[in-house]
Amino acid sequence: MRTVEVLLDEAAELGVREAWRRLADAGLPSQARHRSPTNSPHLTLAACPELTAPIRWELAEVAAALPLPVRFTGLVRFERPTSVLAWALDLDAALAGLHRRVWDAVASDSPPEALNPFHDPARWSPHVTLGRTRRPGAFTGRRVPEMLPTPPLSVQLITLRSYDTETGALEVLEPRI
């Protein structure tokens, strides 16, 4: 699979990495434990089996729309099928529009059954993962909010990229000039 993600500006990335460090220091699941050089704070917009030429053409237009200002709204937990702790992002019209363009691009040239239903615009919850684990309820009943830094108020989504889950390769998706 190939993900389509956006990276955060430097200040926001540092804030997320600080949250990762604090979770790890407390012995909780944290993205800080993911030692891959490709691991960086990001917002996943969609995933598809491959980035075909038509998909790439549309994504180049999306990349040209960056940077995009967004804001964190607070802490969120998901249980699906892994336990995830994340900072949620405000799904304003600009972010919803960016996401819709990415979804439409990957859906236009991918088998429908290959698309992650959690990325469908009707279900998508924009968030930046702080920690994840296969242990159900790993983040419930704990004083997690008190141990984390306050998320940055303003964030810029700056770079569109793709991650290949089979090869581990990263690719920056450049804007069409």
Side-chain angles (χ1 to χ4, degrees), residues 6-47:
V6 281
L7 299 178
L8 313 176
D9 66 77
E10 185 178 357
E13 179 175 339
L14 290 173
V16 172
R17 287 187 184 278
E18 175 63 15
W20 289 0
R21 185 193 61 75
R22 289 185 189 189
L23 288 170
D25 288 352
L28 291 169
S30 168
Q31 291 302 100
R33 292 193 170 96
H34 184 348
R35 296 287 184 205
S36 168
T38 63
N39 183 36
S40 59
H42 66 274
L43 170 63
T44 302
L45 301 168

Side-chain angles (χ1 to χ4, degrees), residues 3 36 38 72-73 103 115 126 136 145 150-151 161:
T3 64
S36 168
T38 63
F72 286 118
T73 59
W103 176 261
L115 299 176
T150 302
R161 76 172 188 181

